[in-house]
Amino acid sequence: MTTDTTHGPTSLEAQGRLTVVGAGVMGETLLSGLIRSGWAADRITATHRRPERRAELTTRYAVETTPDNAEAVRAADTVVLVVKPQDMVGVLDEIAGSVDADTLVVSLCAGVPSDLIESRLPAEVPVVRVMVNTPAQVDEGMAAVSGGTHATAAHLDQVTDILGAVGRTVTVPERYQDAVTAISGSGPAYLFFVVESMIEAGVHLGLPRGTATDLVVQTMLGSASLLRASGEHPTVLRERVTSPGGTTAAALRQLEDHKVRAAFITAIEAAHDRSRALADAARREADQ
């Protein structure tokens, strides 16, 4: 069973110091969302290897920055790992001596299971695995949260609060994370692909590209808002647009003839399988 919870910024104030390890695009997205939601900048530390990037983050958000992951983690109550899967083992080895059972470790690293993270850290360190997608950049992200062996309900609530600063959250058993990655983690790319195709069709039909873009983007945004607000099944909403013998029916017939529905299902299954393969690769690297 999943839960969808929204928490306000007041709950963030009780969570101590937070370190973002790897303040790239997604790390900065989380950092900026926390500050907008009321988290004090002097309670956040961000790490990055490049000095120019650290200077940029300090200027933009007034947060402390450092290239030293171990130093930054030592002073933190919550550590958020936002690194590439192939870098995770090295980063865990760097910070292992700086965390203990009172430190909450949150991983936003795709394809890396929590038991692997736990195996590189001291005993009983609570680990929470998260898959969040890129609409978090505009506070409309979708994050799936899963607790590791030592993570309690309170830890999951804490992570839900943190991720609530950049969108919505759902709590799922970790065995679903590969499916989450395939659906919502990669999902924005599928929708951008559809938007791109619709814009190209509009240009092909003679519309100026800017006009086609406005039409398609607003249609996508409005349709998503209607789907959420109505609470109705997408099939019901689709049928309301589809008049017998009309233009929409003609278009949908072509999509069915070209097996677009089947292609989407196959594509998402491929993303799911790739997520599992990344996890297997991470395990093999950790065993070396």
Side-chain angles (χ1 to χ4, degrees), residues 52-120:
E52 60 270 23
R53 175 61 171 166
R54 297 196 302 273
E56 184 179 82
L57 294 169
T58 299
T59 300
R60 190 172 296 164
Y61 304 107
V63 297
E64 180 182 350
T65 62
T66 176
D68 190 331
N69 291 331
E71 175 191 349
V73 166
R74 191 171 292 114
D77 301 289
T78 302
V79 177
V80 185
L81 304 175
V82 198
V83 299
K84 296 176 182 178
Q86 62 268 30
D87 296 334
M88 179 61 99
V89 170
V91 169
L92 290 172
D93 290 346
E94 281 183 58
I95 70 171
S98 300
V99 301
D100 56 32
D102 293 326
T103 310
L104 173 58
V105 175
V106 184
S107 170
L108 271 62
C109 186
V112 179
S114 61
D115 63 344
L116 185 154
I117 298 171
E118 291 165 349
S119 72
R120 314 295 293 203

Side-chain angles (χ1 to χ4, degrees), residues 85-86 88-89 109-117 129 174-175 177-178 181 271-287:
Q86 62 268 30
M88 179 61 99
V89 170
C109 186
V112 179
S114 61
D115 63 344
L116 185 154
I117 298 171
R129 178 180 173 185
E174 189 170 1
R175 66 181 181 274
Q177 281 285 359
D178 292 321
T181 299
H272 172 269
D273 294 345
R274 180 57 180 161
S275 180
R276 284 191 169 178
L278 288 172
D280 291 341
R283 291 184 193 281
R284 287 194 298 272
E285 181 181 352
D287 290 340

Side-chain angles (χ1 to χ4, degrees), residues 15-51:
Q15 292 178 0
R17 291 194 59 84
L18 180 143
T19 290
V20 177
V21 176
V25 174
M26 188 55 73
E28 182 181 359
T29 294
L30 179 60
L31 186 159
S32 62
L34 287 172
I35 290 176
R36 285 194 303 276
S37 72
W39 195 294
D42 62 6
R43 292 168 53 235
I44 300 174
T45 301
T47 76
H48 202 278
R49 294 174 181 173
R50 292 190 293 109

Side-chain angles (χ1 to χ4, degrees), residues 8-259:
T10 54
S11 59
L12 295 172
E13 293 300 325
Q15 292 178 0
R17 291 194 59 84
L18 180 143
T19 290
V20 177
V21 176
V25 174
M26 188 55 73
E28 182 181 359
T29 294
L30 179 60
L31 186 159
S32 62
L34 287 172
I35 290 176
R36 285 194 303 276
S37 72
W39 195 294
D42 62 6
R43 292 168 53 235
I44 300 174
T45 301
T47 76
H48 202 278
R49 294 174 181 173
R50 292 190 293 109
E52 60 270 23
R53 175 61 171 166
R54 297 196 302 273
E56 184 179 82
L57 294 169
T58 299
T59 300
R60 190 172 296 164
Y61 304 107
V63 297
E64 180 182 350
T65 62
T66 176
D68 190 331
N69 291 331
E71 175 191 349
V73 166
R74 191 171 292 114
D77 301 289
T78 302
V79 177
V80 185
L81 304 175
V82 198
V83 299
K84 296 176 182 178
Q86 62 268 30
D87 296 334
M88 179 61 99
V89 170
V91 169
L92 290 172
D93 290 346
E94 281 183 58
I95 70 171
S98 300
V99 301
D100 56 32
D102 293 326
T103 310
L104 173 58
V105 175
V106 184
S107 170
L108 271 62
C109 186
V112 179
S114 61
D115 63 344
L116 185 154
I117 298 171
E118 291 165 349
S119 72
R120 314 295 293 203
L121 298 176
E124 299 187 0
V125 171
V127 173
V128 175
R129 178 180 173 185
V130 176
M131 169 52 66
V132 63
N133 59 17
T134 56
Q137 294 175 31
V138 291
D139 296 346
E140 289 290 350
M142 186 69 240
V145 177
S146 302
T149 305
H150 309 295
T152 65
H155 291 131
L156 293 175
D157 286 344
Q158 184 173 338
V159 176
T160 295
D161 282 338
I162 291 170
L163 272 297
V166 291
R168 297 165 69 92
T169 64
V170 60
T171 302
V172 300
E174 189 170 1
R175 66 181 181 274
Y176 294 148
Q177 281 285 359
D178 292 321
V180 168
T181 299
I183 295 293
S184 65
S186 300
Y190 313 150
L191 297 181
F192 296 147
F193 184 86
V194 171
V195 167
E196 182 183 8
S197 300
M198 291 174 68
I199 291 171
E200 290 304 317
V203 172
H204 179 73
L205 294 172
L207 290 172
R209 184 170 295 275
T211 301
T213 299
D214 288 344
L215 289 168
V216 175
V217 171
Q218 182 58 36
T219 297
M220 185 71 71
L221 177 62
S223 299
S225 298
L226 175 60
L227 184 60
R228 175 187 285 181
S230 70
E232 294 191 282
H233 195 280
T235 300
V236 173
L237 297 177
R238 175 177 58 79
E239 289 177 345
R240 286 181 186 163
V241 184
T242 311
S243 302
T247 58
T248 307
L252 292 175
R253 171 64 184 275
Q254 289 297 316
L255 294 176
E256 293 292 357
D257 285 350
H258 287 82
K259 303 187 184 326

